[in-house]
Amino acid sequence: MSGPIKHIVMWRLRGETAAERSAARSKVKTLFEGLRGRIDGLTHIEVGVDVSDVDYACDVVLVSEFTDGAALKAYATHPEHLRVREELGDLRIGRFQVDYPTKETGA
């Protein structure tokens, strides 16, 4: 894929209590936001924490943008991304992903 691409991931997180789930949400947000400026080709990263508390909602969403498909592919095996995945361990119990090309908005 050439041109910009969005990478959106949503997770359901482990936690028996509201406090445990809140801590898990904060950890995911902090770790992924820590990738900002550390990975070539990653042009935008945003992490949202669900506030709806509906039973079918995911806990956290990651919205990221990459310069192109090659940058997204490199991200998958980048040491900083792998470090975040390792630190999260089995905190995630469900994961959903969508990747799609976006149109360049040339000036």
Side-chain angles (χ1 to χ4, degrees):
M1 286 177 273
S2 65
I5 187 164
K6 280 201 181 190
H7 172 67
I8 299 175
V9 184
M10 296 185 299
W11 296 281
R12 296 276 301 161
L13 303 175
R14 199 171 299 288
E16 297 296 319
T17 66
E20 288 174 349
R21 294 220 16 207
S22 179
R25 290 171 174 177
S26 293
K27 183 174 184 175
V28 171
K29 181 174 176 62
T30 299
L31 287 171
F32 274 98
E33 286 179 344
L35 295 177
R36 190 174 284 123
R38 296 178 168 270
I39 299 177
D40 289 341
L42 174 60
T43 59
H44 174 79
I45 191 163
E46 175 183 349
V47 182
V49 175
D50 180 63
V51 296
S52 72
D53 281 330
V54 294
D55 63 351
Y56 53 84
C58 288
D59 294 295
V60 180
V61 62
L62 166 71
V63 178
S64 53
E65 296 178 26
F66 294 85
T67 53
D68 55 29
L72 175 58
K73 186 174 180 179
Y75 165 78
T77 58
H78 191 283
E80 287 294 319
H81 178 237
L82 295 177
R83 177 189 56 78
V84 166
R85 287 181 55 189
E86 185 175 319
E87 285 189 46
L88 292 175
D90 68 347
L91 192 63
R92 297 159 294 175
I93 56 175
R95 182 181 186 282
F96 308 90
Q97 176 178 325
V98 175
D99 297 328
Y100 61 94
T102 60
K103 294 180 182 173
E104 293 188 48
T105 59

